[in-house]
Amino acid sequence: MKAAFRMWKNTRMIILVAVCAAIYSAALIAFKTAIPLIPGITEVRIANIFPMVFGLLFGPAGAWGTALGNLIGDVFGGTLGPGSVAGLFGNFLLGYLPYTLWVTLLPFTQKSREWHPHRVWSWLNYILIAFISSASCGVVIGIAVDALGIVPYEILTRIITLNNTLASLIGLALLNAVFGTIKHQFGLFWTDLLDEEEIAPPVTAPIGAWVIAIASTIGFLGGMITDLPATQIGWLSALAILIGSLLL
């Protein structure tokens, strides 16, 4: 988590936040009313091919850019409301979890923070993290919106999770296409911009990674695996996800 705050001392990372926010918000606004799933709440989010790619390429700058981009999209897309606060946190997780889980989710963790298209484990890790980050986003937003009495938790959580997971998988093509250019030609890969002491995960990171993985899965499945009320599962899962995120 420390890199998410220390990056604000780095001018190039701040610029990357602005670039990610601009791209994400523009894509959100462009397709805001194209295929609505729950009018005023969520839609088929073609723009969600970007958050996981931003996170893996730009680290914490991608996370902040995704969060701020979603808020800007709500403002100019006409969907700003109480749920936008939850959207800010949920979309932060969409960019934050990919780069933090990439090297901490044992035994699936990768030794390198880079994307290696010729390694099967990189692809499997990407797919797994795509679901975990999407479900975490869905749980956090879903329980907050449910508490506001707008949309039931189970419905919104599953829509967001499946929507984001599918978009993230499509984003694989984008990551594959631009990774080499971003790192080797532009020199903007996030680990090349921050010091190692700023990005090294704490010893608690693997614990946090599995807390998030388990909590997001339980939060997504909800009543399918337990008789507890869906909202109770949602609150417990959201709390565990936030705690796990702090441990990363």
Side-chain angles (χ1 to χ4, degrees):
M1 177 62 80
K2 61 184 177 182
F5 296 100
R6 294 187 180 182
M7 61 134 278
W8 291 104
K9 299 178 181 179
N10 188 300
T11 303
R12 284 181 292 179
M13 292 293 281
I14 294 173
I15 293 172
L16 286 174
V17 171
V19 172
C20 291
I23 294 173
Y24 190 44
S25 61
L28 285 173
I29 294 167
F31 295 99
K32 202 68 166 173
T33 58
I35 311 177
L37 297 175
I38 301 177
I41 300 297
T42 191
E43 63 284 332
V44 174
R45 291 168 66 97
I46 298 172
N48 276 40
I49 64 172
F50 293 113
M52 187 161 177
V53 175
F54 285 164
L56 291 176
L57 287 175
F58 307 125
W64 286 113
T66 298
L68 296 174
N70 187 77
L71 182 61
I72 295 169
D74 282 356
V75 172
F76 293 100
T79 54
L80 182 67
S84 297
V85 177
L88 182 73
F89 287 103
N91 278 269
F92 177 82
L93 292 175
L94 268 183
Y96 173 71
L97 294 179
Y99 78 87
T100 50
L101 295 183
W102 193 257
V103 293
T104 59
L105 188 62
L106 300 171
F108 308 101
T109 179
Q110 301 296 290
K111 294 181 180 180
S112 170
R113 295 185 177 89
E114 299 179 18
W115 167 250
H116 294 282
H118 302 299
R119 296 181 184 176
V120 174
W121 277 106
S122 285
W123 290 79
L124 294 176
N125 205 35
Y126 184 102
I127 294 169
L128 179 61
I129 294 174
F131 170 75
I132 294 172
S133 58
S134 297
S136 296
C137 174
V139 168
V140 170
I141 295 176
I143 196 60
V145 172
D146 179 274
L148 294 169
I150 301 174
V151 182
Y153 166 76
E154 287 184 293
I155 294 175
L156 185 57
T157 297
R158 287 171 185 167
I159 288 175
I160 292 174
T161 300
L162 295 176
N163 199 356
N164 290 353
T165 300
L166 178 59
S168 295
L169 295 180
I170 295 173
L172 255 171
L174 176 62
L175 178 64
N176 227 18
V178 304
F179 181 83
T181 300
I182 294 295
K183 177 170 174 59
H184 301 296
Q185 295 185 30
F186 294 162
L188 293 176
F189 186 55
W190 73 282
T191 60
D192 296 331
L193 302 180
L194 297 175
D195 295 332
E196 181 61 33
E197 64 176 19
E198 295 176 313
I199 64 178
V203 294
T204 58
I207 298 173
W210 273 105
V211 167
I212 292 170
I214 294 170
S216 60
T217 302
I218 292 175
F220 171 72
L221 295 175
M224 297 171 62
I225 59 173
T226 176
D227 293 329
L228 291 174
T231 52
Q232 185 173 344
I233 296 172
W235 282 114
L236 291 173
S237 297
L239 178 60
I241 289 168
L242 294 177
I243 292 173
S245 297
L246 293 174
L247 295 176
L248 289 175

